[in-house]
Amino acid sequence: MKKLLTTLLFLVLGAFGFAEKFEKPIMLTSIGQSADVQMIKVLLKKADLEADFDKLVTEKTLGDHKTLILAIGGSSKGLGAAGIKVEDELDRSEKLIKAAREKGVKIVGMHVGGQARRGELSDKFVNVSISGCDYLIVVEDGNKDGLFTKVAEEKKIPLVLVPKISEAVKPLKDIF
């Protein structure tokens, strides 16, 4: 019951307390090189939000973006296709998040791959990125173990859990 009430509190804070807090321009990148970033591109389009996309953005190429959206989910196939080692992607992610925080860029973490996008590989990217986020949007199925809820509570990060991917459009609209 306590977990449900805490999640509802984050939902309310996320929907109302943080509206207008995130600014444009937006940069979208992948953390873990999964295809989930393509789904987030569609969600942004449905939310009428324009975002630049660079699957390998670094602290040096972040530019003047005010918000960074992270598509969090590891894919060995995606990493392989990009010719990137897991360690290198983790290093890029850590440096990017650190630089964004130092520049005052707000970070929205999105995990839309559900339970299928969890596991040893993806969790490396989840763990390296979520505590640096200012806001989290997660498909409920990807939070079965409560990892996102736990970190959100500890770090006081607003967390919006959505039952399915298509319902992530509303929280995106609400924060911009």
Side-chain angles (χ1 to χ4, degrees):
M1 184 66 166
K2 182 182 176 194
K3 193 179 265 190
L4 175 64
L5 289 175
T6 303
T7 301
L8 288 174
L9 175 64
F10 281 114
L11 285 169
V12 170
L13 286 175
F16 300 109
F18 287 87
E20 307 298 321
K21 197 158 189 181
F22 292 81
E23 298 177 56
K24 300 171 187 173
I26 303 166
M27 171 62 75
L28 170 64
T29 195
S30 177
I31 300 295
Q33 301 303 311
S34 76
D36 296 349
V37 74
Q38 298 302 324
M39 290 184 271
I40 294 173
K41 279 185 181 180
V42 171
L43 294 170
L44 288 166
K45 187 173 182 173
K46 287 182 178 184
D48 293 320
L49 294 168
E50 289 186 29
D52 293 321
F53 170 65
D54 183 346
K55 67 180 180 179
L56 298 173
V57 69
T58 67
E59 70 278 9
K60 294 174 183 153
T61 59
L62 184 57
D64 64 351
H65 292 90
K66 301 289 185 195
T67 300
L68 175 64
I69 297 178
L70 308 176
I72 306 167
S75 166
S76 57
K77 185 177 178 181
L79 289 164
I84 302 170
K85 295 179 190 170
V86 171
E87 299 78 22
D88 294 337
E89 179 72 347
L90 289 167
D91 185 56
R92 177 187 74 88
S93 302
E94 288 174 349
K95 288 178 179 174
L96 174 62
I97 292 165
K98 182 180 180 209
R101 306 285 305 157
E102 288 172 356
K103 290 173 98 174
V105 174
K106 297 291 183 185
I107 302 173
V108 178
M110 295 185 70
H111 180 76
V112 298
Q115 187 62 29
R117 193 60 71 203
R118 290 292 306 279
E120 185 179 344
L121 177 63
S122 272
D123 284 357
K124 288 179 182 181
F125 298 107
V126 169
N127 289 322
V128 80
S129 59
I130 62 174
S131 64
C133 293
D134 297 294
Y135 195 85
L136 291 165
I137 301 171
V138 177
V139 172
E140 286 176 354
D141 189 43
N143 191 41
K144 282 186 176 179
D145 62 356
L147 176 62
F148 289 94
T149 302
K150 179 182 177 213
V151 173
E153 288 174 356
E154 287 173 2
K155 302 286 184 175
K156 303 203 182 332
I157 303 167
L159 167 65
V160 176
L161 295 172
V162 295
K164 54 186 179 179
I165 296 169
S166 62
E167 293 186 33
V169 172
K170 182 172 179 355
L172 281 170
K173 283 182 174 182
D174 289 345
I175 63 173
F176 286 97

